[in-house]
Amino acid sequence: MEDNGLVLEVHNLKTYFSLIEGTVRAVDGADFVVKRGQTLGVVGESGCGKSVTARSILRIVPHPGRIVEGRILLHRRVHNADSFTMTEVVDLTALNPRGKEIRSIRGAEIAMVFQEPMTSLSPVHTIGTQIMESIILHQGLSQAEARERAVQMLDRAEMPQPGRTVDQYPHELSGGMRQRAMIAMALSCSPSLLIADEPTTALDVTTEAQILELMRELQREFGMAIMYITHDLGVIAEMAEEVVVMYMGKVVERADVDSVFYTPQHPYTRALLKSIPKLGRKSRQRLESIKGSVPDPYSIPVGCPFHPRCPSFIPGTCDREEPQSFQVKPGHNVRCHLYADAGGGE
Ligand code: SF4
């Protein structure tokens, strides 16, 4: 098919964890798309399903979680005989999570950068060995070529003294340097999508600003899409073109970044925005000023899951019926009963 400008489509994704205490519906019907070369910001409080969504895409949901419904479509670019760019679509939910095909996609077409690099960097191998492993696996380069590329990528990630750092172990590096190593590793195979899960949360403000600038720069250079997961709306304002707001496993609002910041519609999005000191400024404040707390995942409120905390709660409706997602204008969807008259339910 012709390239439609999308790199990823997620439709009605449900990822549940069956535990003795009950079923946790960590992701419960998420819908969104990621456009080629653009950044999608995914925002919400801890436990809203952001990270499980990312892990579902890469098929690395930890046991006993599993995708119970939905489709995750990766649009791969291929060139046909006439050199026109076409795409082929792969449904990642249909792949064996331990199979060859998803392993060839992980790292090469979709890469991930985590909040804490130590969870994904091996402590017993040098940074260079770990970057080279991915390059040799996905690009079939020789040891010497892979090492050269690893040094180049560390240099592009603005790692100080890349020729020396390549032979160092993760514990010998600072937090910021480890994150640069993760970024170098993630970008070493030029993925079409980079998933960044709170990559700067553990860093000081100055290093965070440098890493964000680096990611933007590398995005321009490599043309990759980024799915940027964070609880920090200040970072979203700096990084994203499109935004998805999640609450209790559901996408409650999705729109372009200006609409989310200047004309937010969902009461939860409005509450999130009120909880940062000033729009457009970086904030490290946790989102604590929203009334109440995130509900117990084993007993999600009936109706709209946000209703016990919502200032616009409609008795008899919000506590009984789960709202659909309504389109309030093209490209702007809100899951809330207040917009039932807007029509365009999904
Ligand atoms: Fe608030 Fe009701 Fe909308 Fe939920 S559906 S966000 S409770 S107004």
Side-chain angles (χ1 to χ4, degrees):
M1 65 185 276
E2 278 185 39
D3 190 353
N4 61 2
L6 301 181
V7 66
L8 194 81
E9 286 180 73
V10 173
H11 296 290
N12 193 32
L13 176 66
K14 297 185 180 180
T15 305
Y16 293 176
F17 289 76
S18 298
L19 304 164
I20 294 165
E21 300 85 345
T23 298
V24 174
R25 291 179 282 165
V27 183
D28 200 16
D31 288 285
F32 59 87
V33 299
V34 187
K35 293 178 184 163
R36 216 171 272 290
Q38 292 202 353
T39 299
L40 174 77
V42 181
V43 70
E45 291 162 290
S46 297
C48 70
K50 311 182 294 281
S51 295
V52 178
T53 302
R55 283 164 175 70
S56 301
I57 294 168
L58 283 168
R59 303 299 314 276
I60 51 170
V61 176
H63 180 78
R66 67 188 183 93
I67 296 173
V68 296
E69 210 177 312
R71 293 189 306 154
I72 302 171
L73 305 178
L74 172 69
H75 293 246
R76 272 177 165 161
R77 267 191 171 157
V78 286
H79 296 282
N80 68 6
D82 300 320
S83 269
F84 289 123
T85 303
M86 311 289 282
T87 55
E88 69 178 17
V89 180
V90 186
D91 184 353
L92 303 182
T93 63
L95 304 182
N96 175 351
R98 280 176 288 281
K100 202 172 159 199
E101 195 167 359
I102 190 72
R103 279 192 277 124
S104 75
I105 288 171
R106 271 186 224 130
E109 293 178 72
I110 307 177
M112 188 156 173
V113 178
F114 296 88
Q115 177 178 348
E116 180 36 76
M118 285 309 265
T119 57
S120 44
L121 288 173
S122 160
V124 296
H125 295 103
T126 64
I127 295 297
T129 308
Q130 296 182 63
I131 300 176
M132 285 163 63
E133 191 184 4
S134 165
I135 296 171
I136 291 168
L137 176 71
H138 296 299
Q139 299 190 337
L141 299 186
S142 69
Q143 283 275 341
E145 289 167 332
R147 185 183 161 88
E148 197 180 319
R149 177 127 174 98
V151 175
Q152 275 171 7
M153 287 314 301
L154 287 170
D155 189 37
R156 286 301 301 113
E158 294 168 10
M159 179 73 91
Q161 299 181 283
R164 185 166 159 262
T165 323
V166 74
D167 293 319
Q168 288 187 300
Y169 291 88
H171 71 266
E172 298 179 277
L173 307 178
S174 68
M177 285 164 83
R178 284 200 286 263
Q179 205 51 284
R180 287 179 198 281
M182 272 295 296
I183 290 172
M185 187 152 77
L187 300 190
S188 58
C189 296
S190 306
S192 48
L193 173 63
L194 175 71
I195 301 178
D197 188 359
E198 308 254 15
T200 60
T201 305
L203 304 176
D204 63 78
V205 176
T206 311
T207 313
E208 176 182 59
Q210 289 168 356
I211 296 283
L212 292 180
E213 182 49 37
L214 172 67
M215 288 179 71
R216 274 196 299 257
E217 217 179 282
L218 294 173
Q219 181 179 36
R220 281 194 293 272
E221 186 178 326
F222 292 91
M224 68 194 169
I226 299 178
M227 182 172 154
Y228 199 105
I229 295 170
T230 181
H231 64 273
D232 189 333
L233 278 161
V235 171
I236 291 283
E238 281 185 42
M239 295 294 287
E241 277 102 12
E242 306 271 333
V243 182
V244 153
V245 182
M246 289 190 75
Y247 187 75
M248 298 306 293
K250 293 183 191 295
V251 172
V252 295
E253 184 155 9
R254 67 171 205 258
D256 62 275
V257 67
D258 285 346
S259 299
V260 167
F261 277 86
Y262 297 113
T263 53
Q265 302 294 318
H266 197 283
Y268 178 62
T269 312
R270 290 181 180 158
L272 280 181
L273 285 162
K274 277 190 196 145
S275 74
I276 59 172
K278 196 166 179 190
L279 289 187
R281 286 189 54 189
K282 204 177 305 298
S283 163
R284 301 208 136 237
Q285 185 184 334
R286 289 273 164 189
L287 306 170
E288 288 166 348
S289 54
I290 301 174
K291 186 183 108 182
S293 53
V294 177
D296 176 355
Y298 299 110
S299 52
I300 295 175
V302 176
C304 170
F306 189 55
H307 85 253
R309 308 172 74 187
C310 182
S312 308
F313 166 67
I314 309 165
T317 300
C318 297
D319 51 356
R320 287 202 188 145
E321 296 163 32
E322 195 182 326
Q324 295 177 53
S325 182
F326 299 101
Q327 182 175 291
V328 291
K329 68 175 189 195
H332 192 163
N333 292 69
V334 187
R335 187 178 286 277
C336 172
H337 287 303
L338 296 175
Y339 302 94
D341 291 340
E346 289 185 319

